[in-house]
Each structure stands twice: as C-alpha cells, then as structure tokens.
Amino acid sequence: KAGVTQTPRYLIKTRGQQVTLSCSPISGHRSVSWYQQTPGQGLQFLFEYFSETQRNKGNFPGRFSGRQFSNSRSEMNVSTLELGDSALYLCASSEGTGGSGNTIYFGEGSWLTVV
Amino acid sequence: AQKITQTQPGMFVQEKEAVTLDCTYDTSDQSYGLFWYKQPSSGEMIFLIYQGSYDEQNATEGRYSLNFQKARKSANLVISASQLGDSAMYFCAMREGSRGAGNNRKLIWGLGTSLAVNP
C-alpha cells in the first residue's frame, strides 16, 4: 500500500508569489490534514478535510487555503507569500472514521523557502 | 486548554540500551488519543505508536512501548535496544475525541525531544 505522497518536496519562491502544494493520501483514506512546522512555532495545524469538506481550521490568515477532491487528494495554497511562510508543510492522512481508523500517517513534507 | 509537554529537549543513549522519552498532557476531554512520531532530518513524520484513552493495555509496537499513566496524564515512550537509526526528533501528540464516526480532530503537538544514539 503506497504511503502519503506530497509534491513538490522542495521549492523556493519569492515574496508576494503564491504556491500550491499537493498531497495524495493513502488509498482508502478520506481525511487529509495539513500542518506547518517551523523552528520557532513547532507544529501547527492548518486545516482538515474529510470527503471534500473542510471540517476544522487552524489559526492562520486567509492567505492559507485548501481543498480536497473527490479522489481524496488535497491541495493547499498560500497566496502573497511572506518570509515567515518558510516552513516544512506536512500532509497527514487517516481513515477519518474513528475507532480503528485512528492512526494518522504523514508524508515526507514539502520544504518551502521564501526569499 | 489542551497541551502537550515534552520536558527533555535532548537525550543521549548508548546503542543497545533502553531509553524513555517523557510526555505529559493536559485535557478536559475523557476521550482522546495519544501518538508518538519520529522525525529524522529528512523531515518525514513517521508514526510509531498510538494509545487511546480507553485502552486498558499499554500499547506496544516492536521495540516501542508506551507507558500510559492516565491518572498522571503521562504517556512516555520507551524504546528498547536502541539502534543508531533511532537518532531523530521524537514528537508526542494528542487528539481529542478518539471515538465516533468522522471524528478526526487536529493534533496538538509537543516541542519534541532530540534523541542521539551513541555507538
């Protein structure tokens, strides 16, 4: 069974640009969450999608957005990039149904550098 | 407020010895789940072990075991027979509401413990 796949792995953007990150969850998983990891703030929750619906959102500005497609693949977008958006962005996948579907698996992450 | 505390910024252990990484949590919810993840320098967050708040037995996964003390609100990770490849950051995380269909809430994370295994 393939794991969580995130693309791209590494990218460099300029301030003011926008970026789109992609995540393909484990086959059969319907829940996708996104996290931002920085040395200063640690791991912070961005948002979670289940069956194409956003179920939960973290405390991030509106420049951060996401969506989920019918095949459970998800994208997150950051517009008008700022230097502080430089981070590792991690995508998490789970069955999302509770019970035995509790385990949450992560991808390798997308390293974003804003210059 | 929900909170995860990992009090050990860094730990050293000799190869083949056991090590315990501490994690305490704070929640007012009766239903929650606790996770441990390993993050090598590559960045990938690798799932190690899960403990549900209603699980009566301590979770075990190979060389990993979770010492779950509910009354003390602690969920320490024990790694037996450490290997050089265990050197990494280790994160404890909590999710409230571990039961119920579609009940998949966000993870609250600790700041992590950097483990170095010495040969």
Side-chain angles (χ1 to χ4, degrees), chain B residues 57-117:
Chain B
Q57 302 281 343
N58 284 346
T60 61
E61 291 281 354
R63 293 186 300 111
Y64 305 106
S65 61
L66 201 152
N67 184 0
F68 182 46
Q69 298 188 44
K70 197 169 181 177
R72 294 186 177 184
K73 293 189 175 180
S74 76
N76 298 338
L77 176 71
V78 180
I79 306 175
S80 64
S82 296
Q83 302 172 355
L84 296 178
D86 293 335
S87 295
M89 282 291 292
Y90 287 81
F91 291 93
C92 179
M94 175 177 66
R95 181 187 62 202
E96 290 187 332
S98 61
R99 295 191 171 192
N103 195 12
N104 189 27
R105 312 237 179 113
K106 66 181 181 182
L107 289 174
I108 307 296
W109 297 83
L111 294 179
T113 295
S114 177
L115 177 66
V117 181

Side-chain angles (χ1 to χ4, degrees), chain A residues 25 29-32 48-54 66-75:
Chain A
H29 284 192
R30 290 188 289 164
S31 171
V32 173
E48 185 224 345
Y49 289 87
F50 179 82
S51 292
E52 301 180 67
T53 302
Q54 187 181 87
R67 59 178 175 168
Q68 186 179 34
F69 302 95
S70 58
N71 61 359
S72 294
R73 190 177 71 85
S74 176
E75 289 181 348

Side-chain angles (χ1 to χ4, degrees), chain A residues 5-76:
Chain A
T5 303
Q6 290 189 244
T7 57
R9 281 278 285 145
Y10 305 93
L11 65 167
I12 300 173
K13 291 286 187 178
T14 304
R15 273 181 300 176
Q17 287 186 315
Q18 66 94 24
V19 67
T20 298
L21 308 178
S22 179
C23 173
S24 293
I26 292 170
S27 177
H29 284 192
R30 290 188 289 164
S31 171
V32 173
S33 301
W34 289 88
Y35 292 82
Q36 181 196 64
Q37 185 178 22
T38 60
Q41 298 295 322
L43 283 141
Q44 293 185 290
F45 172 79
L46 281 158
F47 25 65
E48 185 224 345
Y49 289 87
F50 179 82
S51 292
E52 301 180 67
T53 302
Q54 187 181 87
R55 289 201 300 191
N56 208 344
K57 190 177 190 302
N59 189 25
F60 278 81
R63 300 185 297 107
F64 291 80
S65 63
R67 59 178 175 168
Q68 186 179 34
F69 302 95
S70 58
N71 61 359
S72 294
R73 190 177 71 85
S74 176
E75 289 181 348
M76 67 161 284

